[in-house]
Amino acid sequence: MPDHVEIMFRPTMLNGTLLYDFACVFWNYDVSDWSTDGCSKGNASDGLLRCFCNHTTNFAALWTYREKYDYAEALDWISIVGLSLSILCLVVTIGHHIKENFQINSTEETNNMNSKMAQLCIYVSLLAFIITFLSGVHNSSRQNDAPVEVDETNNIIPDSDERVEPDRGSCTAVAALLHFFLLATFMWNSVYSTLMVLLFWTDSGLPPHWSIISHAVGWGLPAVIMAITLGATYRVDSPLGYRQEEFCWLAVGDNKDFNFEKPMFWAFVLPVALILIYNIVMLVLATWRTNRKQNSTKPSWREILSSFSLAVLLGVSWTLGYLVLASEGTAHLVFSIVFCLCTTTQGLQIFILVTARTPSFQASVSRLVRYISSMKMNLNKRFHNLTKALRKGTGSESYRDLEDQQESMF
């Protein structure tokens, strides 16, 4: 007679899940609960869970699973190239913006300085978001999909059905920073649009303490929303209530289904939707007031282009994100590609529509081109002289002159 009974179970795994661990148990009527007394577990191979018990009763295998994530890679290259271009363009834009707009000492330019400061904050927050996104959006400590080696000596009943990797802190910090910087970009867009409307509609200028109020709204309100979201949904032992596992961004829902109770909706999608609606209203009012002041019934091409550049600053391209959330199948893929192209190149769009069109930037580029051209002509002239000297070389003295000319080139 064998001293134990071998039982085999074939687990039925949900779609998108993998076996993580299991325990061999029996139902203990004395305590009305599962117990591992007298049972041990074997290996888990060929889709079978092997259990061994030294008694006969009601047996079961309790297993825990983990999510199997399909990591998105189709849009990686578009994102990397677009965001890299945006970083370069935003650095140039910020440098030019500071150089040209923050050397005014006249008190008569206070309103203009507030406008330029709001624009600068938009550029800085967007640049910080892009740098943080590129450097840390992929969770470096995420679980992989490799098969787990079951510990046959450890027959412990799991605490829950789903295995969640313990939080190491870095991914949650990146998610919080991304949440803050992106909300700050949108919030500063609102500050900028409000400022434009006030300047167009009133002759008395901005309200008192506008600078303090604008910074409190632009930086403070996103920080408050981020802190409330983090405090309400984050737990060290269950970080996925706040963020995703595969990407360091706000939690969306289970099995990729959008969940309105997750922070992605009420802490980001909803606030951004309200901000975009507000910004569009401000944009319409500002454009209409500009045309009224110019006594023009039909806006010029320059006015249309100016309104379009303002619309880019107000985040109109992000409205495509709502089409991504609302679509499925082929339409979802198309909207995802268009959304990725529009948002990752937003720094490039700002550079083309705002910075590159300014006369001061064009003048700086012209000076740089003339300088490079003059340097090239000078180098060509020196090279020509070196060639002539080499052909006429008459001894060591010529070679010495040749060396002096070579040194003068550098």
Side-chain angles (χ1 to χ4, degrees):
M1 290 289 293
D3 57 356
H4 65 268
V5 177
E6 180 179 357
I7 312 101
M8 290 184 292
F9 300 92
R10 184 180 298 275
T12 302
M13 304 303 297
L14 300 174
N15 290 333
T17 62
L18 293 172
L19 175 69
Y20 179 79
D21 199 0
F22 73 97
C24 297
V25 298
F26 73 97
W27 186 256
N28 191 332
Y29 288 96
D30 294 335
V31 295
S32 297
D33 199 358
W34 296 109
S35 175
T36 59
D37 293 342
C39 294
S40 62
K41 63 183 182 181
N43 58 24
S45 59
D46 301 327
L48 297 176
L49 309 181
R50 290 174 171 81
C51 293
F52 304 93
C53 292
N54 58 12
H55 52 79
T56 57
T57 182
N58 297 311
F59 300 111
L62 304 179
W63 59 81
T64 181
Y65 65 89
R66 60 178 184 174
E67 296 285 349
K68 180 181 180 181
Y69 295 100
D70 296 325
Y71 300 109
E73 297 179 357
L75 302 177
D76 272 3
W77 284 108
I78 296 178
S79 300
I80 292 173
V81 173
L83 292 175
S84 299
L85 286 174
S86 290
I87 289 177
L88 177 62
C89 292
L90 283 173
V91 169
V92 174
T93 296
I94 290 173
H96 178 264
H97 191 80
I98 294 174
K99 176 178 178 294
E100 296 296 326
N101 298 300
F102 289 90
Q103 299 177 356
I104 301 176
N105 297 321
S106 174
T107 57
E108 297 179 357
E109 299 292 340
T110 302
N111 292 340
N112 186 48
M113 287 295 294
N114 282 317
S115 172
K116 300 303 180 183
M117 178 59 71
Q119 286 181 293
L120 179 62
C121 290
I122 293 173
Y123 305 151
V124 170
S125 58
L126 182 58
L127 177 61
F129 169 79
I130 293 175
I131 293 175
T132 306
F133 184 92
L134 281 178
S135 60
V137 70
H138 290 282
N139 187 3
S140 59
S141 61
R142 68 189 182 188
Q143 62 188 21
N144 54 46
D145 293 336
V148 177
E149 293 294 334
V150 176
D151 185 3
E152 300 179 14
T153 63
N154 185 12
N155 189 29
I156 300 177
I157 299 176
D159 296 329
S160 63
D161 294 337
E162 182 180 1
R163 165 67 179 180
V164 177
E165 292 291 328
D167 188 30
R168 300 180 183 178
S170 59
C171 188
T172 300
V174 169
L177 288 175
L178 290 176
H179 187 202
F180 168 73
F181 285 129
L182 195 53
L183 279 181
T185 302
F186 285 110
M187 201 62 68
W188 273 108
N189 284 332
S190 294
V191 171
Y192 179 74
S193 62
T194 304
L195 185 146
M196 290 292 100
V197 170
L198 289 175
L199 293 180
F200 285 141
W201 280 79
T202 63
D203 297 327
S204 58
L206 298 174
H209 310 294
W210 170 262
S211 180
I212 298 175
I213 296 173
S214 63
H215 282 81
V217 173
W219 297 117
L221 196 53
V224 170
I225 295 175
M226 182 268 291
I228 292 175
T229 306
L230 189 64
T233 60
Y234 174 74
R235 300 293 181 270
V236 176
D237 57 346
S238 182
L240 300 189
Y242 172 71
R243 62 168 175 83
Q244 301 177 38
E245 196 275 341
E246 67 272 37
F247 297 112
C248 301
W249 180 237
L250 298 178
V252 177
D254 300 328
N255 299 322
K256 308 303 181 187
D257 294 329
F258 192 83
N259 190 339
F260 292 98
E261 296 181 357
K262 292 293 185 178
M264 178 65 177
F265 173 72
W266 54 266
F268 181 74
V269 172
L270 184 59
V272 167
L274 297 176
I275 291 173
L276 289 178
I277 294 172
Y278 176 82
N279 288 346
I280 291 173
V281 173
M282 293 295 103
L283 172 62
V284 172
L285 290 176
T287 305
W288 178 72
R289 185 64 174 177
T290 302
N291 296 333
R292 284 284 302 273
K293 281 190 174 184
Q294 294 176 349
N295 296 321
S296 174
T297 58
K298 184 178 180 181
S300 65
W301 171 250
R302 181 177 293 274
E303 292 168 355
I304 295 174
L305 190 60
S306 176
S307 298
F308 180 68
S309 65
L310 182 59
V312 171
L313 289 175
L314 298 177
V316 170
S317 59
W318 285 87
T319 57
L320 291 170
Y322 295 93
L323 297 178
V324 174
L325 294 176
S327 59
E328 296 180 355
T330 304
H332 176 79
L333 177 61
V334 172
F335 283 132
S336 296
I337 294 175
V338 176
F339 174 73
C340 186
L341 286 172
C342 291
T343 53
T344 58
T345 60
Q346 205 164 36
L348 177 62
Q349 297 171 40
I350 290 174
F351 172 76
I352 294 174
L353 298 173
V354 178
T355 304
R357 294 173 54 242
T358 59
S360 58
F361 181 80
Q362 294 174 358
S364 299
V365 173
S366 298
R367 288 194 299 269
L368 179 61
V369 171
R370 288 196 299 269
Y371 176 76
I372 294 176
S373 299
S374 63
M375 288 290 296
K376 184 177 180 180
M377 292 177 61
N378 193 23
L379 288 174
N380 289 336
K381 183 178 179 180
R382 289 178 180 273
F383 180 76
H384 179 68
N385 293 335
L386 285 174
T387 304
K388 289 177 61 178
L390 187 62
R391 291 176 178 175
K392 294 180 179 180
T394 56
S396 60
E397 185 173 355
S398 298
Y399 287 110
R400 217 175 291 116
D401 294 339
L402 194 62
E403 291 177 355
D404 292 340
Q405 293 184 33
Q406 289 176 334
E407 291 176 359
S408 66
M409 290 181 63
F410 301 98

